[in-house]
Amino acid sequence: MVYREFQDLQLSALGMGAMRLPVIDGNDAQIDKEATAEMVAYAMEHGINYYDTAWGYHDGNSETVMGEALSRYPRESFYLATKFPGYDLSNMDKVESIFEAQLEKCGVDYFDFYLFHNVCEMNIDAYLDEKYGIFDYLMEQKKKGRIRHLGFSAHGSYDIMKRFLDAYGEHIEFCQIQLNYLDWSFQNARAKVDLLKEHHIPVWVMEPLRGGKLASLEDENAAVLKGLRPEEGIPAWAFRFLQSIPGVTMVLSGMSNFQQMQENIAVFEEDKPLDEKEMAALLEVADRMVKKIVLPCTACHYCVSHCPKGLDIPGLLELYNEHCFTGGGFIAPMALMAVPEEKKPGACIGCRSCEAVCPQQIKISEAMADFSARLQG
């Protein structure tokens, strides 16, 4: 196992994410405890020492099951991470009761790593609102040793991350973002990595395989990569990409079966970062994947000045592209929760004034109508 330095710790470069544990009969709330315990045992035997769970994973059962599985090992032999569930605004005034419940569910006296969960457009104002006392409470727990290291995870935009860092950055020790070779440009992950570098904050990675989309590729793209590294499996390319990005300390993979864990651990037996030629080829593959689905908006903003409703068309198209590429998901609906009704896709009146000035000749009115339908459906 490759290890990375974090302050005075040696962390396994691969961590076990507990959002996609094996389940029984396809029921996400019913975790297969025996299979999970077997995976944790294999992970511990092969050098993984970082385990990431959260309040809401598996309908609230992930923390309990992971706590039970890890209770078989000395507490100092693993690092446990969980998160405050600010993705649900109704939790904002419950930080103390939730934190105490998390310790009980996990069966521990402290968390090695604790995160503000999913800082995004929808909850940034609440996270920064002093009346909830979330930051103050977590800092108090850190002083008491019940939190060893404090960080945050983010699915929000660069600007949202910057707001959070401007407020709390000097106290933040790590940040977990969605990072993979597809999102390097598609979700502006490169700029987010640079932002964290400016703040001297190491990067924790979630969605290294983009929810499995990068575990297998179309034959044309796979052939390009196989031509460069015949011995490397397609999923391994996603991990080798991350091994090539300075600042990446922890890569979390939500392994849902024993075979995935075996294969991923095998990849992390060594560092094999990409050279310039390999990196260029991989990013070209990503570009082809994106272009097959998304609209080619360049955010020139010509459309905005011609929209009688004052819609942020480039911003909406960016969310539309994400929603289409992912085939749904929570990112676009979550971001739109912070947008007033009169500025959402459904507010488009189909006048096509924007289309008359679009250099890319995008059928914006059709995209807005489709986006609205997808969100409702």
Side-chain angles (χ1 to χ4, degrees):
M1 174 60 62
V2 173
Y3 290 88
R4 307 286 188 215
E5 288 187 7
F6 172 76
Q7 300 181 18
D8 59 341
L9 306 180
Q10 292 288 320
L11 302 180
S12 55
L14 176 66
M16 179 178 175
M19 187 176 75
R20 298 187 178 98
L21 297 173
V23 299
I24 297 173
D25 296 330
N27 182 355
D28 189 63
Q30 192 172 358
I31 300 170
D32 188 329
K33 295 183 180 181
E34 184 176 337
T36 298
E38 182 183 13
M39 290 173 64
V40 169
Y42 188 86
M44 292 290 287
E45 290 167 9
H46 290 80
I48 290 182
N49 61 14
Y50 190 98
Y51 299 84
D52 171 270
T53 183
W55 178 259
Y57 292 172
H58 287 284
D59 201 23
N61 295 318
S62 176
E63 288 175 324
T64 303
V65 172
M66 289 302 295
E68 291 175 0
L70 289 167
S71 67
R72 306 174 188 183
Y73 306 93
R75 182 64 183 89
E76 66 276 7
S77 66
F78 61 88
Y79 302 108
L80 179 61
T82 194
K83 314 170 186 77
F84 174 73
Y87 55 82
D88 182 345
L89 293 177
S90 68
N91 291 329
M92 290 301 183
D93 60 352
K94 302 181 179 70
V95 61
E96 181 175 359
S97 61
I98 287 175
F99 184 80
E100 296 295 340
Q102 288 177 306
L103 288 171
E104 184 176 347
K105 287 173 69 179
C106 291
V108 296
D109 297 321
Y110 67 90
F111 293 115
D112 301 280
F113 295 84
Y114 197 86
L115 300 86
F116 295 81
H117 198 172
N118 189 17
V119 175
C120 64
E121 289 79 358
M122 174 266 295
N123 60 25
I124 183 66
D125 290 334
Y127 265 141
L128 300 184
D129 194 330
E130 293 182 1
K131 75 179 181 184
Y132 294 119
I134 298 168
F135 173 76
D136 290 339
Y137 179 81
L138 296 182
M139 287 298 293
E140 180 185 347
Q141 302 316 304
K142 192 169 186 291
K143 289 176 183 176
K144 292 179 177 179
R146 302 172 89 200
I147 293 173
R148 300 294 169 84
H149 302 284
L150 185 63
F152 74 106
S153 69
H155 279 288
S157 67
Y158 174 98
D159 291 339
I160 294 297
M161 286 179 59
K162 190 174 187 307
R163 276 188 66 191
F164 190 83
L165 288 168
D166 286 345
Y168 301 142
E170 63 179 301
H171 302 286
I172 295 297
E173 298 173 78
F174 65 104
C175 177
Q176 192 164 306
I177 62 172
Q178 181 167 312
L179 177 59
N180 51 67
Y181 64 83
L182 187 82
D183 288 318
W184 188 240
S185 296
F186 185 42
Q187 277 203 9
N188 205 22
R190 181 173 190 166
K192 296 175 184 177
V193 169
D194 289 342
L195 175 65
L196 295 174
K197 182 179 179 181
E198 290 174 16
H199 287 264
H200 308 288
I201 295 175
V203 178
W204 262 230
V205 174
M206 55 182 163
E207 299 293 354
L209 292 170
R210 240 293 181 156
K213 284 186 178 292
L214 304 181
S216 61
L217 301 176
E218 293 184 353
D219 291 344
E220 175 189 1
N221 291 328
V224 171
L225 303 184
K226 282 293 184 183
L228 292 168
R229 289 192 181 188
E231 77 288 353
E232 202 84 88
I234 294 302
W237 276 87
F239 296 125
R240 301 304 183 204
F241 168 79
L242 296 170
Q243 290 179 346
S244 310
I245 306 301
V248 169
T249 298
M250 172 60 56
V251 176
L252 293 167
S253 182
M255 299 165 276
S256 56
N257 61 58
F258 195 77
Q259 181 181 350
Q260 288 177 3
M261 172 160 282
Q262 287 180 308
E263 292 173 352
N264 290 354
I265 287 177
V267 171
F268 278 87
E269 288 178 351
E270 58 182 330
D271 263 327
K272 293 178 65 177
L274 307 178
D275 60 29
E276 288 186 14
K277 180 180 179 182
E278 292 167 335
M279 179 65 81
L282 188 63
L283 293 179
E284 284 180 13
V285 165
D287 191 47
R288 284 196 295 272
M289 291 173 67
V290 169
K291 284 182 175 178
K292 285 190 70 173
I293 296 176
V294 307
L295 298 174
C297 175
T298 62
C300 68
H301 282 78
Y302 294 155
C303 54
V304 176
S305 60
H306 285 70
C307 177
K309 303 294 287 185
L311 301 183
D312 175 16
I313 295 171
L316 292 174
L317 287 179
E318 182 179 356
L319 291 173
Y320 176 65
N321 281 337
E322 159 62 30
H323 205 60
C324 290
F325 188 88
T326 307
F330 66 90
I331 292 179
M334 181 180 65
L336 287 169
M337 287 179 68
V339 177
E341 287 297 325
E342 65 271 17
K343 300 297 182 183
K344 290 183 178 179
C348 173
I349 59 176
C351 69
R352 301 185 183 273
S353 296
C354 55
E355 296 174 14
V357 295
C358 176
Q360 306 300 320
Q361 299 183 336
I362 298 171
K363 295 180 179 178
I364 298 169
S365 59
E366 294 180 13
M368 292 299 103
D370 183 50
F371 196 8
S372 183
R374 287 172 183 257
L375 291 168
Q376 292 172 9

